[in-house]
mmCIF file with all atom_site columns, all heavy atoms in Angstrom:
data_model
loop_
_atom_site.group_PDB
_atom_site.id
_atom_site.type_symbol
_atom_site.label_atom_id
_atom_site.label_alt_id
_atom_site.label_comp_id
_atom_site.label_asym_id
_atom_site.label_entity_id
_atom_site.label_seq_id
_atom_site.pdbx_PDB_ins_code
_atom_site.Cartn_x
_atom_site.Cartn_y
_atom_site.Cartn_z
_atom_site.occupancy
_atom_site.B_iso_or_equiv
_atom_site.pdbx_formal_charge
_atom_site.auth_seq_id
_atom_site.auth_comp_id
_atom_site.auth_asym_id
_atom_site.auth_atom_id
_atom_site.pdbx_PDB_model_num
ATOM 1   N N   . GLY A 1 1  ? 11.387 21.725 2.890  1.00 0.00 ? 13 GLY A N   1
ATOM 2   C CA  . GLY A 1 1  ? 11.746 21.587 4.316  1.00 0.00 ? 13 GLY A CA  1
ATOM 3   C C   . GLY A 1 1  ? 12.682 22.644 4.735  1.00 0.00 ? 13 GLY A C   1
ATOM 4   O O   . GLY A 1 1  ? 13.313 22.486 5.861  1.00 0.00 ? 13 GLY A O   1
ATOM 5   N N   . VAL A 1 2  ? 12.906 23.701 3.977  1.00 0.00 ? 14 VAL A N   1
ATOM 6   C CA  . VAL A 1 2  ? 13.848 24.781 4.382  1.00 0.00 ? 14 VAL A CA  1
ATOM 7   C C   . VAL A 1 2  ? 13.223 25.507 5.636  1.00 0.00 ? 14 VAL A C   1
ATOM 8   O O   . VAL A 1 2  ? 13.988 25.916 6.541  1.00 0.00 ? 14 VAL A O   1
ATOM 9   C CB  . VAL A 1 2  ? 14.055 25.784 3.260  1.00 0.00 ? 14 VAL A CB  1
ATOM 10  C CG1 . VAL A 1 2  ? 14.852 26.994 3.713  1.00 0.00 ? 14 VAL A CG1 1
ATOM 11  C CG2 . VAL A 1 2  ? 14.720 25.081 2.070  1.00 0.00 ? 14 VAL A CG2 1
ATOM 12  N N   . VAL A 1 3  ? 11.948 25.654 5.699  1.00 0.00 ? 15 VAL A N   1
ATOM 13  C CA  . VAL A 1 3  ? 11.258 26.187 6.882  1.00 0.00 ? 15 VAL A CA  1
ATOM 14  C C   . VAL A 1 3  ? 10.098 25.265 7.240  1.00 0.00 ? 15 VAL A C   1
ATOM 15  O O   . VAL A 1 3  ? 9.580  24.519 6.381  1.00 0.00 ? 15 VAL A O   1
ATOM 16  C CB  . VAL A 1 3  ? 10.698 27.579 6.642  1.00 0.00 ? 15 VAL A CB  1
ATOM 17  C CG1 . VAL A 1 3  ? 11.825 28.624 6.326  1.00 0.00 ? 15 VAL A CG1 1
ATOM 18  C CG2 . VAL A 1 3  ? 9.715  27.692 5.475  1.00 0.00 ? 15 VAL A CG2 1
ATOM 19  N N   . ASP A 1 4  ? 9.700  25.265 8.476  1.00 0.00 ? 16 ASP A N   1
ATOM 20  C CA  . ASP A 1 4  ? 8.562  24.456 8.911  1.00 0.00 ? 16 ASP A CA  1
ATOM 21  C C   . ASP A 1 4  ? 7.622  25.247 9.763  1.00 0.00 ? 16 ASP A C   1
ATOM 22  O O   . ASP A 1 4  ? 6.684  24.661 10.419 1.00 0.00 ? 16 ASP A O   1
ATOM 23  C CB  . ASP A 1 4  ? 9.045  23.204 9.641  1.00 0.00 ? 16 ASP A CB  1
ATOM 24  C CG  . ASP A 1 4  ? 10.055 23.524 10.804 1.00 0.00 ? 16 ASP A CG  1
ATOM 25  O OD1 . ASP A 1 4  ? 9.988  24.645 11.326 1.00 0.00 ? 16 ASP A OD1 1
ATOM 26  O OD2 . ASP A 1 4  ? 10.819 22.653 11.149 1.00 0.00 ? 16 ASP A OD2 1
ATOM 27  N N   . ALA A 1 5  ? 7.751  26.560 9.683  1.00 0.00 ? 17 ALA A N   1
ATOM 28  C CA  . ALA A 1 5  ? 6.825  27.469 10.449 1.00 0.00 ? 17 ALA A CA  1
ATOM 29  C C   . ALA A 1 5  ? 6.959  28.818 9.896  1.00 0.00 ? 17 ALA A C   1
ATOM 30  O O   . ALA A 1 5  ? 8.002  29.220 9.370  1.00 0.00 ? 17 ALA A O   1
ATOM 31  C CB  . ALA A 1 5  ? 7.091  27.484 11.959 1.00 0.00 ? 17 ALA A CB  1
ATOM 32  N N   . THR A 1 6  ? 5.866  29.612 9.971  1.00 0.00 ? 18 THR A N   1
ATOM 33  C CA  . THR A 1 6  ? 5.897  30.964 9.502  1.00 0.00 ? 18 THR A CA  1
ATOM 34  C C   . THR A 1 6  ? 4.870  31.812 10.203 1.00 0.00 ? 18 THR A C   1
ATOM 35  O O   . THR A 1 6  ? 3.822  31.305 10.665 1.00 0.00 ? 18 THR A O   1
ATOM 36  C CB  . THR A 1 6  ? 5.626  31.026 7.966  1.00 0.00 ? 18 THR A CB  1
ATOM 37  O OG1 . THR A 1 6  ? 5.792  32.403 7.486  1.00 0.00 ? 18 THR A OG1 1
ATOM 38  C CG2 . THR A 1 6  ? 4.221  30.544 7.629  1.00 0.00 ? 18 THR A CG2 1
ATOM 39  N N   . GLY A 1 7  ? 5.114  33.100 10.270 1.00 0.00 ? 19 GLY A N   1
ATOM 40  C CA  . GLY A 1 7  ? 4.073  34.059 10.584 1.00 0.00 ? 19 GLY A CA  1
ATOM 41  C C   . GLY A 1 7  ? 3.274  34.375 9.379  1.00 0.00 ? 19 GLY A C   1
ATOM 42  O O   . GLY A 1 7  ? 3.876  34.439 8.234  1.00 0.00 ? 19 GLY A O   1
ATOM 43  N N   . TRP A 1 8  ? 1.982  34.493 9.474  1.00 0.00 ? 20 TRP A N   1
ATOM 44  C CA  . TRP A 1 8  ? 1.184  34.996 8.342  1.00 0.00 ? 20 TRP A CA  1
ATOM 45  C C   . TRP A 1 8  ? -0.130 35.464 8.935  1.00 0.00 ? 20 TRP A C   1
ATOM 46  O O   . TRP A 1 8  ? -0.531 35.124 10.033 1.00 0.00 ? 20 TRP A O   1
ATOM 47  C CB  . TRP A 1 8  ? 0.980  33.888 7.276  1.00 0.00 ? 20 TRP A CB  1
ATOM 48  C CG  . TRP A 1 8  ? 0.249  34.398 6.060  1.00 0.00 ? 20 TRP A CG  1
ATOM 49  C CD1 . TRP A 1 8  ? -0.979 34.134 5.606  1.00 0.00 ? 20 TRP A CD1 1
ATOM 50  C CD2 . TRP A 1 8  ? 0.824  35.267 5.080  1.00 0.00 ? 20 TRP A CD2 1
ATOM 51  N NE1 . TRP A 1 8  ? -1.263 34.841 4.487  1.00 0.00 ? 20 TRP A NE1 1
ATOM 52  C CE2 . TRP A 1 8  ? -0.143 35.489 4.105  1.00 0.00 ? 20 TRP A CE2 1
ATOM 53  C CE3 . TRP A 1 8  ? 2.082  35.879 4.939  1.00 0.00 ? 20 TRP A CE3 1
ATOM 54  C CZ2 . TRP A 1 8  ? 0.068  36.359 3.057  1.00 0.00 ? 20 TRP A CZ2 1
ATOM 55  C CZ3 . TRP A 1 8  ? 2.342  36.719 3.848  1.00 0.00 ? 20 TRP A CZ3 1
ATOM 56  C CH2 . TRP A 1 8  ? 1.295  36.925 2.926  1.00 0.00 ? 20 TRP A CH2 1
ATOM 57  N N   . THR A 1 9  ? -0.831 36.280 8.127  1.00 0.00 ? 21 THR A N   1
ATOM 58  C CA  . THR A 1 9  ? -2.104 36.821 8.536  1.00 0.00 ? 21 THR A CA  1
ATOM 59  C C   . THR A 1 9  ? -3.147 35.700 8.657  1.00 0.00 ? 21 THR A C   1
ATOM 60  O O   . THR A 1 9  ? -2.966 34.633 8.139  1.00 0.00 ? 21 THR A O   1
ATOM 61  C CB  . THR A 1 9  ? -2.592 37.891 7.504  1.00 0.00 ? 21 THR A CB  1
ATOM 62  O OG1 . THR A 1 9  ? -2.800 37.275 6.273  1.00 0.00 ? 21 THR A OG1 1
ATOM 63  C CG2 . THR A 1 9  ? -1.625 39.014 7.383  1.00 0.00 ? 21 THR A CG2 1
ATOM 64  N N   . GLN A 1 10 ? -4.279 36.098 9.235  1.00 0.00 ? 22 GLN A N   1
ATOM 65  C CA  . GLN A 1 10 ? -5.392 35.101 9.424  1.00 0.00 ? 22 GLN A CA  1
ATOM 66  C C   . GLN A 1 10 ? -5.963 34.664 8.091  1.00 0.00 ? 22 GLN A C   1
ATOM 67  O O   . GLN A 1 10 ? -6.628 33.646 8.014  1.00 0.00 ? 22 GLN A O   1
ATOM 68  C CB  . GLN A 1 10 ? -6.495 35.767 10.255 1.00 0.00 ? 22 GLN A CB  1
ATOM 69  C CG  . GLN A 1 10 ? -6.105 36.100 11.682 1.00 0.00 ? 22 GLN A CG  1
ATOM 70  C CD  . GLN A 1 10 ? -7.167 36.918 12.379 1.00 0.00 ? 22 GLN A CD  1
ATOM 71  O OE1 . GLN A 1 10 ? -7.709 37.902 11.856 1.00 0.00 ? 22 GLN A OE1 1
ATOM 72  N NE2 . GLN A 1 10 ? -7.587 36.452 13.556 1.00 0.00 ? 22 GLN A NE2 1
ATOM 73  N N   . ILE A 1 11 ? -5.688 35.436 7.065  1.00 0.00 ? 23 ILE A N   1
ATOM 74  C CA  . ILE A 1 11 ? -6.330 35.247 5.768  1.00 0.00 ? 23 ILE A CA  1
ATOM 75  C C   . ILE A 1 11 ? -5.227 34.967 4.722  1.00 0.00 ? 23 ILE A C   1
ATOM 76  O O   . ILE A 1 11 ? -4.142 35.597 4.766  1.00 0.00 ? 23 ILE A O   1
ATOM 77  C CB  . ILE A 1 11 ? -7.179 36.488 5.345  1.00 0.00 ? 23 ILE A CB  1
ATOM 78  C CG1 . ILE A 1 11 ? -8.270 36.691 6.282  1.00 0.00 ? 23 ILE A CG1 1
ATOM 79  C CG2 . ILE A 1 11 ? -7.664 36.383 3.916  1.00 0.00 ? 23 ILE A CG2 1
ATOM 80  C CD1 . ILE A 1 11 ? -8.993 38.035 6.128  1.00 0.00 ? 23 ILE A CD1 1
ATOM 81  N N   . GLY A 1 12 ? -5.501 34.132 3.773  1.00 0.00 ? 24 GLY A N   1
ATOM 82  C CA  . GLY A 1 12 ? -4.603 33.972 2.579  1.00 0.00 ? 24 GLY A CA  1
ATOM 83  C C   . GLY A 1 12 ? -3.793 32.735 2.564  1.00 0.00 ? 24 GLY A C   1
ATOM 84  O O   . GLY A 1 12 ? -3.184 32.414 1.544  1.00 0.00 ? 24 GLY A O   1
ATOM 85  N N   . LEU A 1 13 ? -3.764 31.970 3.692  1.00 0.00 ? 25 LEU A N   1
ATOM 86  C CA  . LEU A 1 13 ? -2.979 30.742 3.673  1.00 0.00 ? 25 LEU A CA  1
ATOM 87  C C   . LEU A 1 13 ? -3.466 29.768 2.538  1.00 0.00 ? 25 LEU A C   1
ATOM 88  O O   . LEU A 1 13 ? -2.606 29.149 1.839  1.00 0.00 ? 25 LEU A O   1
ATOM 89  C CB  . LEU A 1 13 ? -3.122 30.016 5.003  1.00 0.00 ? 25 LEU A CB  1
ATOM 90  C CG  . LEU A 1 13 ? -1.922 29.142 5.409  1.00 0.00 ? 25 LEU A CG  1
ATOM 91  C CD1 . LEU A 1 13 ? -0.772 30.127 5.889  1.00 0.00 ? 25 LEU A CD1 1
ATOM 92  C CD2 . LEU A 1 13 ? -2.272 28.195 6.515  1.00 0.00 ? 25 LEU A CD2 1
ATOM 93  N N   . ILE A 1 14 ? -4.748 29.707 2.351  1.00 0.00 ? 26 ILE A N   1
ATOM 94  C CA  . ILE A 1 14 ? -5.288 28.762 1.256  1.00 0.00 ? 26 ILE A CA  1
ATOM 95  C C   . ILE A 1 14 ? -4.962 29.331 -0.094 1.00 0.00 ? 26 ILE A C   1
ATOM 96  O O   . ILE A 1 14 ? -4.568 28.600 -1.027 1.00 0.00 ? 26 ILE A O   1
ATOM 97  C CB  . ILE A 1 14 ? -6.770 28.629 1.487  1.00 0.00 ? 26 ILE A CB  1
ATOM 98  C CG1 . ILE A 1 14 ? -7.112 27.935 2.753  1.00 0.00 ? 26 ILE A CG1 1
ATOM 99  C CG2 . ILE A 1 14 ? -7.384 27.835 0.300  1.00 0.00 ? 26 ILE A CG2 1
ATOM 100 C CD1 . ILE A 1 14 ? -8.569 27.941 3.171  1.00 0.00 ? 26 ILE A CD1 1
ATOM 101 N N   . ASP A 1 15 ? -5.055 30.656 -0.248 1.00 0.00 ? 27 ASP A N   1
ATOM 102 C CA  . ASP A 1 15 ? -4.721 31.269 -1.556 1.00 0.00 ? 27 ASP A CA  1
ATOM 103 C C   . ASP A 1 15 ? -3.277 30.953 -1.947 1.00 0.00 ? 27 ASP A C   1
ATOM 104 O O   . ASP A 1 15 ? -3.023 30.693 -3.131 1.00 0.00 ? 27 ASP A O   1
ATOM 105 C CB  . ASP A 1 15 ? -4.816 32.810 -1.497 1.00 0.00 ? 27 ASP A CB  1
ATOM 106 C CG  . ASP A 1 15 ? -6.229 33.224 -1.189 1.00 0.00 ? 27 ASP A CG  1
ATOM 107 O OD1 . ASP A 1 15 ? -7.155 32.520 -1.445 1.00 0.00 ? 27 ASP A OD1 1
ATOM 108 O OD2 . ASP A 1 15 ? -6.439 34.356 -0.649 1.00 0.00 ? 27 ASP A OD2 1
ATOM 109 N N   . LEU A 1 16 ? -2.370 30.924 -0.982 1.00 0.00 ? 28 LEU A N   1
ATOM 110 C CA  . LEU A 1 16 ? -0.973 30.640 -1.166 1.00 0.00 ? 28 LEU A CA  1
ATOM 111 C C   . LEU A 1 16 ? -0.637 29.151 -1.255 1.00 0.00 ? 28 LEU A C   1
ATOM 112 O O   . LEU A 1 16 ? 0.477  28.793 -1.568 1.00 0.00 ? 28 LEU A O   1
ATOM 113 C CB  . LEU A 1 16 ? -0.136 31.331 -0.132 1.00 0.00 ? 28 LEU A CB  1
ATOM 114 C CG  . LEU A 1 16 ? -0.175 32.879 -0.108 1.00 0.00 ? 28 LEU A CG  1
ATOM 115 C CD1 . LEU A 1 16 ? 0.317  33.446 1.186  1.00 0.00 ? 28 LEU A CD1 1
ATOM 116 C CD2 . LEU A 1 16 ? 0.614  33.434 -1.256 1.00 0.00 ? 28 LEU A CD2 1
ATOM 117 N N   . LYS A 1 17 ? -1.572 28.336 -0.843 1.00 0.00 ? 29 LYS A N   1
ATOM 118 C CA  . LYS A 1 17 ? -1.509 26.934 -0.769 1.00 0.00 ? 29 LYS A CA  1
ATOM 119 C C   . LYS A 1 17 ? -0.452 26.456 0.262  1.00 0.00 ? 29 LYS A C   1
ATOM 120 O O   . LYS A 1 17 ? -0.002 25.277 0.253  1.00 0.00 ? 29 LYS A O   1
ATOM 121 C CB  . LYS A 1 17 ? -1.106 26.304 -2.129 1.00 0.00 ? 29 LYS A CB  1
ATOM 122 C CG  . LYS A 1 17 ? -2.119 26.639 -3.234 1.00 0.00 ? 29 LYS A CG  1
ATOM 123 C CD  . LYS A 1 17 ? -1.794 26.009 -4.580 1.00 0.00 ? 29 LYS A CD  1
ATOM 124 C CE  . LYS A 1 17 ? -2.811 26.335 -5.631 1.00 0.00 ? 29 LYS A CE  1
ATOM 125 N NZ  . LYS A 1 17 ? -2.520 25.716 -6.911 1.00 0.00 ? 29 LYS A NZ  1
ATOM 126 N N   . TRP A 1 18 ? -0.134 27.313 1.288  1.00 0.00 ? 30 TRP A N   1
ATOM 127 C CA  . TRP A 1 18 ? 0.719  26.924 2.327  1.00 0.00 ? 30 TRP A CA  1
ATOM 128 C C   . TRP A 1 18 ? 0.116  25.886 3.276  1.00 0.00 ? 30 TRP A C   1
ATOM 129 O O   . TRP A 1 18 ? 0.785  25.158 3.956  1.00 0.00 ? 30 TRP A O   1
ATOM 130 C CB  . TRP A 1 18 ? 1.146  28.083 3.183  1.00 0.00 ? 30 TRP A CB  1
ATOM 131 C CG  . TRP A 1 18 ? 1.946  29.101 2.363  1.00 0.00 ? 30 TRP A CG  1
ATOM 132 C CD1 . TRP A 1 18 ? 2.418  28.993 1.055  1.00 0.00 ? 30 TRP A CD1 1
ATOM 133 C CD2 . TRP A 1 18 ? 2.381  30.379 2.831  1.00 0.00 ? 30 TRP A CD2 1
ATOM 134 N NE1 . TRP A 1 18 ? 3.087  30.122 0.671  1.00 0.00 ? 30 TRP A NE1 1
ATOM 135 C CE2 . TRP A 1 18 ? 3.126  31.003 1.791  1.00 0.00 ? 30 TRP A CE2 1
ATOM 136 C CE3 . TRP A 1 18 ? 2.262  31.062 4.044  1.00 0.00 ? 30 TRP A CE3 1
ATOM 137 C CZ2 . TRP A 1 18 ? 3.681  32.320 1.906  1.00 0.00 ? 30 TRP A CZ2 1
ATOM 138 C CZ3 . TRP A 1 18 ? 2.822  32.350 4.144  1.00 0.00 ? 30 TRP A CZ3 1
ATOM 139 C CH2 . TRP A 1 18 ? 3.503  32.905 3.115  1.00 0.00 ? 30 TRP A CH2 1
ATOM 140 N N   . ASN A 1 19 ? -1.245 25.775 3.253  1.00 0.00 ? 31 ASN A N   1
ATOM 141 C CA  . ASN A 1 19 ? -1.921 24.837 4.020  1.00 0.00 ? 31 ASN A CA  1
ATOM 142 C C   . ASN A 1 19 ? -1.627 23.385 3.627  1.00 0.00 ? 31 ASN A C   1
ATOM 143 O O   . ASN A 1 19 ? -1.952 22.425 4.346  1.00 0.00 ? 31 ASN A O   1
ATOM 144 C CB  . ASN A 1 19 ? -3.411 25.075 4.003  1.00 0.00 ? 31 ASN A CB  1
ATOM 145 C CG  . ASN A 1 19 ? -3.990 25.009 2.602  1.00 0.00 ? 31 ASN A CG  1
ATOM 146 O OD1 . ASN A 1 19 ? -3.491 25.716 1.720  1.00 0.00 ? 31 ASN A OD1 1
ATOM 147 N ND2 . ASN A 1 19 ? -5.079 24.223 2.400  1.00 0.00 ? 31 ASN A ND2 1
ATOM 148 N N   . GLU A 1 20 ? -0.982 23.182 2.458  1.00 0.00 ? 32 GLU A N   1
ATOM 149 C CA  . GLU A 1 20 ? -0.598 21.840 2.048  1.00 0.00 ? 32 GLU A CA  1
ATOM 150 C C   . GLU A 1 20 ? 0.521  21.331 2.991  1.00 0.00 ? 32 GLU A C   1
ATOM 151 O O   . GLU A 1 20 ? 0.733  20.129 3.060  1.00 0.00 ? 32 GLU A O   1
ATOM 152 C CB  . GLU A 1 20 ? -0.023 21.866 0.613  1.00 0.00 ? 32 GLU A CB  1
ATOM 153 C CG  . GLU A 1 20 ? -1.090 22.238 -0.417 1.00 0.00 ? 32 GLU A CG  1
ATOM 154 C CD  . GLU A 1 20 ? -0.513 22.268 -1.814 1.00 0.00 ? 32 GLU A CD  1
ATOM 155 O OE1 . GLU A 1 20 ? 0.617  21.879 -2.027 1.00 0.00 ? 32 GLU A OE1 1
ATOM 156 O OE2 . GLU A 1 20 ? -1.270 22.770 -2.702 1.00 0.00 ? 32 GLU A OE2 1
ATOM 157 N N   . PHE A 1 21 ? 1.155  22.256 3.721  1.00 0.00 ? 33 PHE A N   1
ATOM 158 C CA  . PHE A 1 21 ? 2.359  21.836 4.531  1.00 0.00 ? 33 PHE A CA  1
ATOM 159 C C   . PHE A 1 21 ? 2.100  22.183 6.011  1.00 0.00 ? 33 PHE A C   1
ATOM 160 O O   . PHE A 1 21 ? 2.804  21.599 6.888  1.00 0.00 ? 33 PHE A O   1
ATOM 161 C CB  . PHE A 1 21 ? 3.637  22.479 4.029  1.00 0.00 ? 33 PHE A CB  1
ATOM 162 C CG  . PHE A 1 21 ? 3.810  22.310 2.575  1.00 0.00 ? 33 PHE A CG  1
ATOM 163 C CD1 . PHE A 1 21 ? 3.573  23.386 1.687  1.00 0.00 ? 33 PHE A CD1 1
ATOM 164 C CD2 . PHE A 1 21 ? 4.297  21.149 2.067  1.00 0.00 ? 33 PHE A CD2 1
ATOM 165 C CE1 . PHE A 1 21 ? 3.768  23.204 0.341  1.00 0.00 ? 33 PHE A CE1 1
ATOM 166 C CE2 . PHE A 1 21 ? 4.482  20.970 0.701  1.00 0.00 ? 33 PHE A CE2 1
ATOM 167 C CZ  . PHE A 1 21 ? 4.238  22.006 -0.192 1.00 0.00 ? 33 PHE A CZ  1
ATOM 168 N N   . LEU A 1 22 ? 1.324  23.195 6.313  1.00 0.00 ? 34 LEU A N   1
ATOM 169 C CA  . LEU A 1 22 ? 1.159  23.736 7.663  1.00 0.00 ? 34 LEU A CA  1
ATOM 170 C C   . LEU A 1 22 ? -0.104 23.129 8.292  1.00 0.00 ? 34 LEU A C   1
ATOM 171 O O   . LEU A 1 22 ? -1.198 23.146 7.682  1.00 0.00 ? 34 LEU A O   1
ATOM 172 C CB  . LEU A 1 22 ? 1.116  25.241 7.670  1.00 0.00 ? 34 LEU A CB  1
ATOM 173 C CG  . LEU A 1 22 ? 2.368  25.906 7.122  1.00 0.00 ? 34 LEU A CG  1
ATOM 174 C CD1 . LEU A 1 22 ? 2.218  27.423 6.928  1.00 0.00 ? 34 LEU A CD1 1
ATOM 175 C CD2 . LEU A 1 22 ? 3.563  25.658 8.050  1.00 0.00 ? 34 LEU A CD2 1
ATOM 176 N N   . ASN A 1 23 ? 0.013  22.629 9.500  1.00 0.00 ? 35 ASN A N   1
ATOM 177 C CA  . ASN A 1 23 ? -1.040 21.864 10.132 1.00 0.00 ? 35 ASN A CA  1
ATOM 178 C C   . ASN A 1 23 ? -1.589 22.449 11.450 1.00 0.00 ? 35 ASN A C   1
ATOM 179 O O   . ASN A 1 23 ? -2.588 21.958 11.967 1.00 0.00 ? 35 ASN A O   1
ATOM 180 C CB  . ASN A 1 23 ? -0.605 20.437 10.402 1.00 0.00 ? 35 ASN A CB  1
ATOM 181 C CG  . ASN A 1 23 ? -0.051 19.737 9.118  1.00 0.00 ? 35 ASN A CG  1
ATOM 182 O OD1 . ASN A 1 23 ? -0.807 19.677 8.133  1.00 0.00 ? 35 ASN A OD1 1
ATOM 183 N ND2 . ASN A 1 23 ? 1.182  19.257 9.149  1.00 0.00 ? 35 ASN A ND2 1
ATOM 184 N N   . TYR A 1 24 ? -0.828 23.445 11.954 1.00 0.00 ? 36 TYR A N   1
ATOM 185 C CA  . TYR A 1 24 ? -1.276 24.005 13.248 1.00 0.00 ? 36 TYR A CA  1
ATOM 186 C C   . TYR A 1 24 ? -1.303 25.552 13.202 1.00 0.00 ? 36 TYR A C   1
ATOM 187 O O   . TYR A 1 24 ? -0.435 26.181 12.604 1.00 0.00 ? 36 TYR A O   1
ATOM 188 C CB  . TYR A 1 24 ? -0.297 23.591 14.338 1.00 0.00 ? 36 TYR A CB  1
ATOM 189 C CG  . TYR A 1 24 ? -0.342 22.105 14.677 1.00 0.00 ? 36 TYR A CG  1
ATOM 190 C CD1 . TYR A 1 24 ? 0.453  21.236 13.906 1.00 0.00 ? 36 TYR A CD1 1
ATOM 191 C CD2 . TYR A 1 24 ? -1.152 21.610 15.670 1.00 0.00 ? 36 TYR A CD2 1
ATOM 192 C CE1 . TYR A 1 24 ? 0.363  19.870 14.151 1.00 0.00 ? 36 TYR A CE1 1
ATOM 193 C CE2 . TYR A 1 24 ? -1.249 20.258 15.976 1.00 0.00 ? 36 TYR A CE2 1
ATOM 194 C CZ  . TYR A 1 24 ? -0.423 19.343 15.222 1.00 0.00 ? 36 TYR A CZ  1
ATOM 195 O OH  . TYR A 1 24 ? -0.514 18.029 15.420 1.00 0.00 ? 36 TYR A OH  1
#
């Protein structure tokens, strides 16, 4: 919970597993 939003490219969120926390 240190961050709750980030910029990132259209690709790679799943590779990094950030989609476990990011919903929008």
Side-chain angles (χ1 to χ4, degrees):
V14 173
V15 297
D16 51 25
T18 185
W20 188 252
T21 63
Q22 296 172 308
I23 297 169
L25 208 76
I26 296 171
D27 299 336
L28 295 163
K29 300 183 180 179
W30 296 355
N31 57 307
E32 294 177 11
F33 311 102
L34 298 170
N35 303 305
Y36 293 85

